[in-house]
Amino acid sequence: MARVLLVDDEPGVLFALESLLTSRGDAPVVARSGEEALASLDGVDAVVSDFAMPGMNGLELLRAIRERDPALPVILLTAHGSERIAVQAIRSGAYEYVTKPFDIDELSTVLDRALEARALRVQNRQLQMERSVGRRVVGRSAAMQRLLALIARLAPRDLTVLVRGETGTGKELVASLLHAGGHRAERPLVRFNCAAIPPELAEAELFGHARGAFTGATQARRGFFGKADGGTLVLDEIGELPAGVQAKLLRVLQDGEIQPVGTGTVERVDVRVVASTNRDLAAEARAGKFREDLYYRLAVVELVVPPLRERREDIPELAAEFARRYGERFELPGVTLAPELLDRLARADWPGNVRQLESCVARMVALGGGEVIGPEAFEAQEGAEPATGEGTLHQQLEALERSILARMLSTTSGNQSEAARRLGVSRTALIDRIKKYGLSG
């Protein structure tokens, strides 16, 4: 289903256009002026606009849309005999024009071509971003397709973006895609976890410090803004940033200037900022728990990552992708999840969202005894606490892998060849892991 913005000041024309889109199975979005249209662009796949309207005309609207999203196709409806205007519209970037009174079949054909071109541009952009981040992005659900389309449109634009979503939804991946799809892709992508740094050190970590600036500062150090100069700085858990540092971050966003702690010098930095949070910063700003002016600077554009319960149709494909990825990691190529298991996973609750699903699949792959993993592997985990665990996913998986190796070595009385055979890995790989985890043979 495509979302098409219809712009016309004549109710009769809007009714005819809405009827056409509804009959095609598309979702019409209606605006009665150019100004109203500009406020309705989010999530739109194409625009059909009249040329002659009071206030902002179709050509002016076209130019404004091109500034916001050059890849969004705009079809203009022009009066019969207005070839000069039509040529001007094409030169200004219109996808096509259709003369009034329009033929329904002709307009439908033009719209089909425009939507196909839009889909190809978005798909190509997504493939480029996937190559840059080194992983496939799964999301055929309508909620994820809307989000990915917005990411593809925003990535080339040097805007500050606030990424909001529940824990485990994939906010880190969204930030990576925004960086990979922009002109800074070849420059550094630096992450700063606002919740992981003691409040008294947050300023020095972000903006850098001089030698002797505080106890323990034995040498000068560049901050995260300096490390990200020319690239992108991701501020994870931005809601945890201390109030005093919030004011100084606001200055950076306004002026592009930082002052390392313990120096009297001001340095200019060129950094795109992407912030992420699982909190409602707008509500916290209204309640005085977060600087309101900083919130508006961060949320130039706000992207909301949908929780897994709102995109259940993506679960089977996500699970299959995780199985492939961890099968390669654990040297179990070809491992797959049975259709019955995929169906069971799609019906389960995932309060920890994608991160919990990934951890669950990783465990089933690591503990599985064959190439096809059935529903019994998941049912064995039911009744246990949701596998959100402590620490990062990488840390949890390493702890799980160490536990599996230790148990297998105990079962085989330290026989490495037999342990490797039962685990389905080479003896060399097993020995490497034994050394990594400090296990005795």
Side-chain angles (χ1 to χ4, degrees):
M1 180 183 292
R3 286 169 53 85
V4 181
L5 177 60
L6 307 174
V7 192
D8 204 301
D9 61 314
E10 296 182 29
V13 175
L14 280 179
F15 178 78
L17 291 171
E18 281 188 273
S19 299
L20 169 61
L21 286 176
T22 302
S23 68
R24 288 165 44 94
D26 294 327
V29 179
V30 173
R32 292 168 179 80
S33 68
E35 293 80 5
E36 188 178 335
L38 289 178
S40 307
L41 286 177
D42 283 350
V44 166
D45 301 300
V47 178
V48 178
S49 174
D50 189 20
F51 178 85
M53 296 183 292
M56 179 183 292
N57 65 32
L59 196 57
E60 292 168 335
L61 173 61
L62 167 65
R63 289 167 178 161
I65 291 174
R66 293 280 296 170
E67 289 180 2
R68 296 192 184 188
D69 185 359
L72 183 62
V74 178
I75 301 167
L76 285 181
L77 303 177
T78 62
H80 181 68
S82 303
E83 285 77 10
R84 181 183 60 81
I85 292 175
V87 170
Q88 187 179 2
I90 296 297
R91 287 177 177 172
S92 296
Y95 178 80
E96 187 58 275
Y97 70 92
V98 176
T99 57
K100 282 185 172 182
F102 55 83
D103 178 82
I104 288 179
D105 291 336
E106 178 190 1
L107 179 57
S108 186
T109 299
V110 171
L111 188 55
D112 280 338
R113 292 203 306 266
L115 290 171
E116 183 179 356
R118 171 69 165 180
L120 286 173
R121 289 192 191 102
V122 171
Q123 185 181 38
N124 289 338
R125 172 71 66 179
Q126 183 175 330
L127 289 172
Q128 291 171 6
M129 292 189 293
E130 287 179 348
R131 283 195 293 270
S132 296
V133 300
R135 60 189 292 186
R136 193 167 74 87
V137 178
V138 176
R140 296 185 181 181
S141 62
M144 278 303 294
Q145 283 299 303
R146 285 194 294 270
L147 176 62
L148 292 172
L150 282 171
I151 292 171
R153 287 161 50 188
L154 290 172
R157 301 184 172 283
D158 230 10
L159 296 171
T160 303
V161 178
L162 178 64
V163 183
R164 185 163 58 85
E166 297 177 9
T167 298
T169 50
K171 299 185 291 294
E172 302 87 352
L173 177 59
V174 171
S176 296
L177 291 172
L178 286 168
H179 173 74
H183 67 87
R184 300 175 184 266
E186 303 302 320
R187 304 293 295 167
L189 171 64
V190 180
R191 296 182 184 274
F192 178 81
N193 190 332
C194 301
I197 303 295
E200 62 272 15
L201 295 179
E203 180 181 352
E205 288 292 320
L206 270 177
F207 309 124
H209 61 79
R211 179 181 178 182
F214 51 85
T215 302
T218 57
Q219 58 184 4
R221 185 176 177 182
R222 295 180 74 200
F224 278 75
F225 266 99
K227 295 175 184 177
D229 194 18
T232 301
L233 176 61
V234 181
L235 299 175
D236 290 321
E237 304 301 338
I238 186 67
E240 303 292 337
L241 196 66
V245 184
Q246 290 182 26
K248 293 176 178 174
L249 174 59
L250 179 63
R251 176 185 176 182
V252 181
L253 296 177
Q254 289 175 333
D255 305 326
E257 295 178 344
I258 61 171
Q259 183 173 346
V261 177
T263 73
T265 60
V266 172
E267 302 175 8
R268 292 201 62 81
V269 289
D270 175 25
V271 176
R272 181 185 192 177
V273 171
V274 177
S276 72
T277 182
N278 58 6
R279 291 154 55 169
D280 186 347
L281 285 192
E284 294 197 4
R286 290 192 297 270
K289 298 178 180 179
F290 191 85
R291 287 190 66 113
E292 190 170 20
D293 48 3
L294 177 58
Y295 166 72
Y296 288 118
R297 280 286 179 179
L298 291 170
V300 175
V301 178
E302 187 168 341
L303 295 180
V304 179
V305 187
L308 206 50
R309 63 181 175 275
E310 294 180 7
R311 46 179 298 214
R312 287 187 178 276
E313 56 267 53
D314 290 335
I315 292 176
E317 190 176 1
L318 277 168
E321 173 64 14
F322 292 146
R324 181 197 63 77
R325 191 180 303 168
Y326 286 101
E328 292 179 355
R329 174 173 177 173
F330 299 147
E331 297 189 5
L332 299 169
V335 66
T336 59
L337 306 183
E340 298 83 2
L341 173 57
L342 293 174
D343 180 66
R344 182 69 185 83
L345 295 175
R347 290 184 284 109
D349 291 325
W350 300 100
N353 292 296
V354 177
R355 185 180 299 158
Q356 183 187 357
L357 174 65
E358 182 175 359
S359 181
C360 175
V361 173
R363 267 201 320 282
M364 290 191 294
V365 171
L367 296 172
E371 288 191 354
V372 179
I373 302 174
E376 65 279 357
F378 179 66
E379 290 164 3
Q381 300 182 36
E382 288 190 298
E385 282 295 309
T388 50
E390 294 295 330
T392 66
L393 177 63
H394 179 71
Q395 291 168 337
Q396 293 180 58
L397 289 172
E398 286 197 336
L400 173 64
E401 189 175 49
R402 188 185 190 284
S403 174
I404 294 169
L405 291 174
R407 187 169 66 248
M408 186 58 70
L409 287 169
S410 175
T411 301
T412 60
S413 301
N415 186 321
Q416 295 175 354
S417 297
E418 178 62 15
R421 187 189 68 78
R422 294 190 187 186
L423 289 171
V425 299
S426 67
R427 187 171 182 275
T428 302
L430 178 68
I431 292 172
D432 287 342
R433 285 173 168 81
I434 289 173
K435 292 179 180 177
K436 175 181 178 181
Y437 297 119
L439 298 170
S440 66

